[in-house]
Amino acid sequence: MFSRNVNKSQTESFTRKRREAKGKSSFREHAVSKNHGHSRSIRKAPAEDTPMSSNLTSSIITLVVGREQRLFAAHEDVLCISPFFSAACRGQFLESSSKRISLPDEEPEIFSSVLEYLYKGDYYPKLVHNKRRNSWELESGENGGSVESTVYHHGINGELLKDTVIYCTAEKYGLEELKRVALRKQGLQSGIQCSTILSSARYAYANTPDTDSKLRAHYLALIIRSRGTFKRSGTMQMEMQAGGSQLFFDLFVALCNHVDDVASVAGSPRSVRTHH
């Protein structure tokens, strides 16, 4: 979909075990990216109230996305699955003469995935069910290779986990099921660099409300599980010294809770010993 090749720093990486996750299968459809004048494969949500049972005869909305002003086109009733776009189509952002909505702060690759989801309920790489293992996995890329898990984000001038950015975008657009899909997919990723995880965690904290704890909890649990790697990470040290994020206080609380849980299970709470 609009992938970019960006050089990555050679920092530490770690491999996480794949966790089993349940999901829904999806199908493909086509939407138009006007900048290139050809069809792109897209999908649409089964869990949101979707208009796919109709013939999609509603008007076409043009969307101008990102700094490069990439053009996308979508049916109005598909966009209006999102409360954000429903409000926009009522005139909040819509240029009535051309039925055009400008989204200058969005990344085209991320918006492409959101649009793909709105049409068919998933985005590339889609979730596939492994019947032999009875588990959900991410589909492979071309020639059986892995699919790039990060995306370059102009807002931070660096790489972020794609599923994290999609989750935060879904939060803004009011797409709760897309948030669940993005979180499930992120749990299946592995081999991510420490620096990318910490940058993505900061982004998650900056772009989700305090009441939405699922993505934040995912990062806290991930860092705690891989604490040995992060303990040796110079990137972690620099991030903590820089501060400026609720992330590290939440991490401290989560670590304290983890220690308490371990002590409780062992049945030997720590106590101060006095030597005579």
Side-chain angles (χ1 to χ4, degrees), residues 3 35 47 49 92 117 127 142 154 175 196 198 223:
S3 59
N35 243 27
D49 293 330
Q92 187 175 351
Y117 166 82
L127 287 165
E142 295 182 4
H154 289 87
L175 297 170
T196 301
L198 291 173
I223 294 171

Side-chain angles (χ1 to χ4, degrees), residues 104-115:
D105 298 326
E106 300 293 354
E107 294 294 332
E109 183 174 350
I110 297 301
F111 185 76
S112 176
S113 294
V114 173
L115 198 60

Side-chain angles (χ1 to χ4, degrees), residues 24-116:
K24 297 178 183 292
S25 58
S26 58
F27 305 90
R28 293 182 178 266
E29 181 129 329
H30 294 283
V32 177
S33 175
K34 289 186 175 181
N35 243 27
H36 298 284
H38 63 270
S39 297
R40 293 190 178 275
S41 175
I42 65 174
R43 308 178 187 99
K44 186 179 178 184
E48 317 284 354
D49 293 330
T50 63
M52 292 304 290
S53 57
S54 68
N55 294 321
L56 293 177
T57 57
S58 62
S59 58
I60 298 296
I61 304 295
T62 300
L63 302 112
V64 186
V65 181
R67 299 181 180 186
E68 299 176 357
Q69 297 188 326
R70 295 286 296 273
L71 299 181
F72 292 82
H75 294 87
E76 182 174 351
D77 53 2
V78 173
L79 284 177
C80 286
I81 296 169
S82 159
F84 176 93
F85 287 111
S86 180
C89 290
R90 289 198 302 268
Q92 187 175 351
F93 303 108
L94 189 67
E95 300 173 17
S96 57
S97 59
S98 58
K99 283 192 173 294
R100 177 175 297 213
I101 298 174
S102 295
L103 302 169
D105 298 326
E106 300 293 354
E107 294 294 332
E109 183 174 350
I110 297 301
F111 185 76
S112 176
S113 294
V114 173
L115 198 60
E116 186 176 5

Side-chain angles (χ1 to χ4, degrees), residues 256-270:
C256 289
N257 291 337
H258 176 71
V259 171
D260 290 343
D261 290 343
V262 171
S264 176
V265 170
S268 56
R270 294 177 180 271

Side-chain angles (χ1 to χ4, degrees), residues 15 38 87 102 159 190 211:
T15 302
H38 63 270
S102 295
E159 296 248 333
S190 64
T211 54

Side-chain angles (χ1 to χ4, degrees), residues 5-268:
N5 291 323
V6 180
N7 291 329
K8 300 178 181 177
S9 61
Q10 299 300 315
T11 57
E12 306 87 7
S13 66
F14 68 95
T15 302
R16 297 190 285 130
K17 292 182 179 180
R18 290 190 172 185
R19 298 184 300 172
E20 292 189 358
K22 295 181 181 180
K24 297 178 183 292
S25 58
S26 58
F27 305 90
R28 293 182 178 266
E29 181 129 329
H30 294 283
V32 177
S33 175
K34 289 186 175 181
N35 243 27
H36 298 284
H38 63 270
S39 297
R40 293 190 178 275
S41 175
I42 65 174
R43 308 178 187 99
K44 186 179 178 184
E48 317 284 354
D49 293 330
T50 63
M52 292 304 290
S53 57
S54 68
N55 294 321
L56 293 177
T57 57
S58 62
S59 58
I60 298 296
I61 304 295
T62 300
L63 302 112
V64 186
V65 181
R67 299 181 180 186
E68 299 176 357
Q69 297 188 326
R70 295 286 296 273
L71 299 181
F72 292 82
H75 294 87
E76 182 174 351
D77 53 2
V78 173
L79 284 177
C80 286
I81 296 169
S82 159
F84 176 93
F85 287 111
S86 180
C89 290
R90 289 198 302 268
Q92 187 175 351
F93 303 108
L94 189 67
E95 300 173 17
S96 57
S97 59
S98 58
K99 283 192 173 294
R100 177 175 297 213
I101 298 174
S102 295
L103 302 169
D105 298 326
E106 300 293 354
E107 294 294 332
E109 183 174 350
I110 297 301
F111 185 76
S112 176
S113 294
V114 173
L115 198 60
E116 186 176 5
Y117 166 82
L118 285 174
Y119 272 91
K120 280 297 176 179
D122 203 351
Y123 60 89
Y124 180 78
K126 69 179 181 179
L127 287 165
V128 292
H129 187 245
N130 185 321
K131 293 182 179 180
R132 183 172 61 86
R133 296 181 179 178
N134 192 28
S135 63
W136 290 90
E137 302 172 352
L138 295 175
E139 67 178 339
S140 301
E142 295 182 4
N143 300 320
S146 61
V147 179
E148 182 62 55
S149 60
T150 60
V151 61
Y152 182 84
H153 197 288
H154 289 87
I156 69 158
N157 193 30
E159 296 248 333
L160 295 172
L161 281 170
K162 178 181 177 181
D163 296 318
T164 290
V165 183
I166 290 175
Y167 183 102
C168 295
T169 304
E171 166 67 33
K172 178 169 62 177
Y173 291 163
L175 297 170
E176 292 298 319
E177 181 61 27
L178 177 55
K179 288 168 58 178
R180 287 188 282 271
V181 170
L183 189 63
R184 183 182 300 125
K185 288 187 176 187
Q186 183 157 310
L188 297 174
Q189 299 289 355
S190 64
I192 309 301
Q193 294 181 347
C194 291
S195 57
T196 301
I197 290 173
L198 291 173
S199 296
S200 300
R202 278 184 174 273
Y203 183 88
Y205 267 77
N207 291 276
T208 56
D210 292 339
T211 54
D212 189 344
S213 62
K214 292 181 179 179
L215 183 58
R216 298 183 181 193
H218 166 81
Y219 276 109
L220 296 176
L222 171 58
I223 294 171
I224 291 172
R225 285 198 307 272
S226 306
R227 56 191 176 276
T229 300
F230 280 94
K231 183 180 178 180
R232 298 188 300 271
S233 170
T235 302
M236 184 66 163
Q237 181 179 353
M238 289 187 293
E239 286 279 345
M240 293 187 74
Q241 289 173 343
S245 173
Q246 179 73 16
L247 166 65
F248 297 109
F249 178 75
D250 286 355
L251 181 59
F252 167 74
V253 173
L255 282 168
C256 289
N257 291 337
H258 176 71
V259 171
D260 290 343
D261 290 343
V262 171
S264 176
V265 170
S268 56

